Amino acid sequence: MSIIDTLSQRVSESQAARWFAAQTPRDRSLLALLAGFLAVVFLWLAVWQPVSQWHDRAVSTHQRLQGDLEFMQRTASRARGKAQSSQAERGRSRPTLTIITRSAASAGLNITRARPEGGGETYSVTFEGKPFNDILQWLSDLSANNGIVVRDAQVSTDSTPGYVNARFALQ
């Protein structure tokens, strides 16, 4: 005997099966209909609802993450641009005083005094007794090569012709 035959025989010999067989045909039809209805309700509550809720949560999460991705893609180019400009400024402003002093030394000009002013964006540079033409050439090169410009200048003549005392605010 197979397993199905064994189960079928045990079910037909059970007390529940004997009780069901003793019912009228109308009652048996109603009981079968009720059992079918309960099976559908069970499938609805135990299978369909959890799967549907999981799907709804997955769609909601997907939409939220899609929105996050679109936001990041929209702002990525802006962030890259700001990062590049920030790096360029840091590359220029962080060692600005170093650039100023090194370029002056390579132009043969010794700075008498150099110090930051106004929060470190502007630097005060003082020369005493230096050739005027050399200072002008240095300022031109400093602006062209490093983007550092003169914000303020005070120049006075020195006792030697062609030489000056000067103070520049560079930014």
Side-chain angles (χ1 to χ4, degrees):
M1 256 191 350
S2 72
I3 295 175
I4 295 176
D5 292 336
T6 306
L7 284 175
S8 177
Q9 182 182 2
R10 285 190 182 189
V11 167
S12 64
E13 293 174 357
S14 72
Q15 186 177 9
R18 283 192 297 262
W19 177 84
F20 184 75
Q23 300 301 315
T24 64
R26 181 175 177 263
D27 287 345
R28 283 194 300 248
S29 297
L30 287 175
L31 286 172
L33 186 62
L34 180 62
F37 175 75
L38 289 176
V40 168
V41 168
F42 174 76
L43 287 174
W44 176 264
L45 293 175
V47 177
W48 185 260
Q49 279 295 102
V51 169
S52 177
Q53 290 171 353
W54 172 81
H55 177 262
D56 292 344
R57 280 193 308 270
V59 167
S60 174
T61 300
H62 174 72
Q63 289 173 343
R64 181 179 48 81
L65 293 176
Q66 188 69 31
D68 291 348
L69 175 64
E70 290 170 4
F71 170 77
M72 286 187 266
Q73 288 173 338
R74 279 192 317 264
T75 58
S77 63
R78 220 175 342 165
R80 280 190 208 102
K82 285 186 178 184
Q84 288 173 350
S85 67
S86 175
Q87 286 175 347
E89 280 189 27
R90 264 189 272 126
R92 186 182 71 80
S93 67
R94 182 178 47 87
T96 302
L97 191 55
T98 304
I99 292 170
I100 292 169
T101 55
R102 285 185 182 167
S103 66
S106 68
L109 298 170
N110 293 328
I111 297 174
T112 306
R113 182 175 41 181
R115 61 186 168 93
E117 285 184 355
E121 293 180 13
T122 304
Y123 295 89
S124 174
V125 180
T126 304
F127 296 99
E128 291 181 2
K130 301 298 176 202
F132 181 69
N133 289 338
D134 292 352
I135 292 175
L136 287 182
Q137 182 62 48
W138 171 72
L139 288 172
S140 174
D141 292 343
L142 190 63
S143 177
N145 297 333
N146 301 297
I148 299 172
V149 295
V150 177
R151 293 289 174 215
D152 184 40
Q154 296 173 354
V155 181
S156 61
T157 59
D158 190 52
S159 59
T160 308
Y163 284 70
V164 294
N165 298 319
R167 189 196 73 73
F168 298 102
L170 304 174
Q171 186 174 19

